[in-house]
C-alpha cells in the first residue's frame, strides 16, 4: 500500500503538509464537507486556512485522488473513493450518504440511448430515500 507522499508523487503532485493532512482525512472515510475537513486538518497542522483546504481538494480532485459530490440541497462533499464509477444513496431525513457500487459492473449508466456527440467518461447517479433510523422515526411518528 502506498503512503500519502507516494500517492501524491505518483499523481504528479508536490508533497506538502496540507496535502498530506487532507489526504489522510479523506482516506479515513466518509463524505465530508469542507468545514469538517478543515477542522480535522487543523487538529493535525494547527493552522491552515479554509482556502488552502479548498485549493488542496481541487488539486486532489484533478489528480484523481479525491471526488467531489454535490447532493441537491447540500454543500459539496469530498471523498477519497474516486475513479471507480460508484454512486450514492442520500437519506432525505438525516442527510447520511452511502456508497453504492455500479449494479451491473459494466458501467451501464455510461451508455445513454443518445450520446449527442459526447465522449462520456463518468456518470453520477444519486439515489434518494430514508435510512433505517429515519424510517423507524417516521413510522413511530405516524403510529402516535
Amino acid at each position: 500500500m502506498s503512503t500519502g507522499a507516494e500517492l501524491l508523487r505518483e499523481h504528479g503532485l508536490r508533497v506538502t503538509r496540507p496535502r498530506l493532512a487532507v489526504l489522510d482525512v479523506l482516506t479515513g472515510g466518509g463524505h465530508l464537507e469542507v468545514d469538517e475537513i478543515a477542522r480535522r486538518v487543523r487538529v493535525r497542522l494547527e493552522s491552515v486556512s479554509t482556502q488552502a483546504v479548498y485549493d488542496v481538494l481541487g488539486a486532489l480532485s484533478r489528480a484523481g485522488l479525491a471526488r467531489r459530490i454535490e447532493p441537491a440541497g447540500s454543500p459539496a462533499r469530498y471523498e477519497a473513493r474516486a475513479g471507480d464509477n460508484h454512486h450514492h444513496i442520500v437519506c432525505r431525513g438525516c442527510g447520511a450518504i452511502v456508497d453504492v457500487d455500479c449494479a451491473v459492473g459494466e458501467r451501464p449508466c455510461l451508455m445513454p440511448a443518445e450520446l449527442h456527440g459526447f465522449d462520456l467518461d463518468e456518470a453520477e447517479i444519486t439515489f434518494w430515500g430514508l435510512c433505517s433510523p429515519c424510517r423507524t422515526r417516521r413510522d413511530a411518528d405516524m403510529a402516535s
Side-chain angles (χ1 to χ4, degrees), residues 7 11 19 21-38 40 53-54 56-71 75-90 95-102 122-127:
L7 279 173
H11 287 83
R19 285 180 178 169
V22 170
L23 188 58
D24 188 48
V25 166
L26 291 178
T27 57
H31 303 88
L32 304 172
E33 295 179 24
V34 173
D35 288 342
E36 178 61 17
I37 295 168
R40 293 182 187 188
V53 172
Y54 272 108
V56 168
L57 289 167
L60 294 177
S61 296
R62 286 187 300 278
L65 291 172
R67 181 176 178 192
R68 175 186 169 125
I69 62 169
E70 295 183 65
R77 296 171 185 256
Y78 291 84
E79 63 181 330
R81 188 174 171 188
D84 66 351
N85 200 51
H86 74 278
H87 309 299
H88 299 96
I89 297 176
V90 179
I97 301 174
V98 179
D99 291 337
V100 178
D101 291 326
C102 196
E122 184 179 17
E124 187 171 311
I125 297 176
T126 304
F127 301 95

